[in-house]
Amino acid sequence: MTIGIVPFSTTLLTQYLDQQISIFAYSFNAILAGVIIYALYFYAKRRPVLVDKTVPALIVRRSGRRIIVTTLTYSIAILFSFTYLPASWFLLILVLIPELIPDRYFGRDTS
């Protein structure tokens, strides 16, 4: 359900750049998605049968940390949106930077 609202919250964010509510809606939607993804990750991590043996343990640990850091960054962006909108924008852009960097720089094998 939360993934289905992403286009709405993204459009709201792009249409009302100077409004606190747009940053709140977008970030809150991202937080909900992050919580759901982390719950799925936690469930799979606790049941070794669900994780392929070829996946290194380091990747499994990093994935959980990455989800938590991203969710916390969106939470901080919401807090900053009440006082200083440019800081919120900076945090929203900061979250996207690791997604733009190729996997080989994170030590992950993509082959």
Side-chain angles (χ1 to χ4, degrees), residues 2-108:
T2 185
I3 300 302
I5 302 173
V6 169
F8 169 73
S9 63
T10 304
T11 302
L12 187 67
L13 185 67
T14 58
Q15 295 294 320
Y16 300 99
L17 297 173
D18 58 343
Q19 299 293 319
Q20 183 267 336
I21 191 69
S22 65
I23 292 175
F24 178 81
Y26 180 80
S27 297
F28 187 72
N29 188 32
I31 290 168
L32 285 178
V35 167
I36 291 170
I37 290 170
Y38 189 77
L40 291 171
Y41 163 80
F42 187 75
Y43 181 82
K45 183 179 159 185
R46 293 291 174 204
R47 287 153 182 84
V49 177
L50 298 175
V51 180
D52 191 12
K53 304 278 188 257
T54 60
V55 177
L58 182 62
I59 292 176
V60 173
R61 281 193 307 259
R62 283 185 181 171
S63 298
R65 288 185 203 144
R66 191 172 185 178
I67 295 167
I68 291 171
V69 168
T70 302
T71 305
L72 288 175
T73 305
Y74 281 120
S75 301
I76 295 169
I78 287 176
L79 295 176
F80 274 118
S81 72
F82 289 104
T83 57
Y84 191 60
L85 285 177
S88 293
W89 277 105
F90 175 75
L91 289 172
L92 293 179
I93 292 170
L94 187 67
V95 168
L96 297 176
I97 291 174
E99 302 301 326
L100 299 174
I101 298 172
D103 284 342
R104 66 176 177 264
Y105 292 112
F106 286 112
R108 294 182 290 217

